Amino acid sequence: MNWRVVTASEVGTSHVQTNAPCQDSCWAQVYELAPGIPLLSIFVADGAGSAARGGDGAELAIQAAVDFLTEKIAEREFGLNDLLATDMVVAIRTQIFRAADAAGLTGRDFSCTFLGLLSSPLGTLAFQIGDGGIVIDAGDGLELAIVPMSGEYANMTSFITDENAVEVLLTKAYVNQATLAAVFSDGIQRIALNMATNTPHEPFFAPFFKTLKSTTDEQEDQLQGLLAKFLASPQVNERTDDDKTLALAVRL
């Protein structure tokens, strides 16, 4: 439905050393809202390293977001606006806290960041709690939709399980459909962004988008493996020891 999408997550070297699994989770799918009206959806969650079940929290967050969006699409009536983002965050929190209660744990034990991007011919909505980034081209060139959240100290950020999650949720709406999109966890934040200016590092993204545009349908199945190989490469691991997730989309 006129989008080419690829995603990959790779465990960070710090987790490899401790035999810990990747705590990132992601989702990318193109739905059909109506004949000829596609909806691109991308969700990325990063489990907090300090949380006992952060990786589980990230998986729960993605699944809850997908369930929420699927229900909204079935209803056929929703807008790409702040209310939708807020309602999705509330739905995610409900699922996580329900799982925490069932396990005899607290929501904090499932802490994770959450980033979402929805784009259709009716407009585009980016929303985020925590670090990581959403980069899109909605008609004015590549831009960072929302500045990654940072805390008082290094490596601190906000999580969807925080008491004030709804209050710190940031959104940005665009009237146009995106043509290029990338959503990523903080593991590649300093590679993909110019942190001094909070702008995309365009030489990082250009080869990815060029490849997606030029890939044939027959080659499309190879994209995920190639992206995963890049994320696990020495050139990336030399610059970050964190888990890494990157979701890319190009409108054809």
Side-chain angles (χ1 to χ4, degrees), residues 9-13 187-188 191 204 208 225-242 244:
S9 295
E10 284 295 316
V11 65
T13 55
I188 61 168
I191 304 174
F204 173 83
F208 292 116
L226 292 171
L227 181 57
K229 185 177 181 180
F230 168 78
L231 292 177
S233 67
Q235 68 191 94
V236 173
N237 287 334
E238 286 171 1
R239 300 187 61 183
T240 177
D241 64 354
D242 199 1
K244 299 144 291 192

Side-chain angles (χ1 to χ4, degrees), residues 178-189:
T179 56
L180 305 172
V183 185
F184 47 92
S185 62
D186 73 317
I188 61 168
Q189 186 171 295

Side-chain angles (χ1 to χ4, degrees), residues 19 43 48 57 66 74-75 80 85 95-96 115 118 121-123 138 163 170 210 219-220 232 235-236:
N19 293 317
F43 304 130
V66 172
E75 294 173 357
L80 299 180
Q95 288 292 88
I96 290 178
L115 300 88
L118 300 171
L122 305 177
E163 290 184 7
L170 294 177
K210 181 179 179 181
Q219 297 170 323
E220 192 167 358
Q235 68 191 94
V236 173

Side-chain angles (χ1 to χ4, degrees), residues 99-121:
D101 287 342
L105 299 171
T106 68
R108 186 179 296 274
D109 291 317
F110 291 81
S111 292
C112 64
T113 63
F114 185 79
L115 300 88
L117 178 68
L118 300 171
S119 186
S120 81

Side-chain angles (χ1 to χ4, degrees), residues 19-56:
N19 293 317
C22 179
Q23 293 183 318
D24 285 3
S25 187
C26 69
W27 163 274
Q29 181 69 44
V30 181
Y31 296 89
E32 189 174 35
L33 294 178
I37 303 181
L39 173 69
L40 171 70
S41 65
I42 301 177
F43 304 130
V44 169
D46 177 6
S50 59
R53 300 278 295 275
D56 293 335

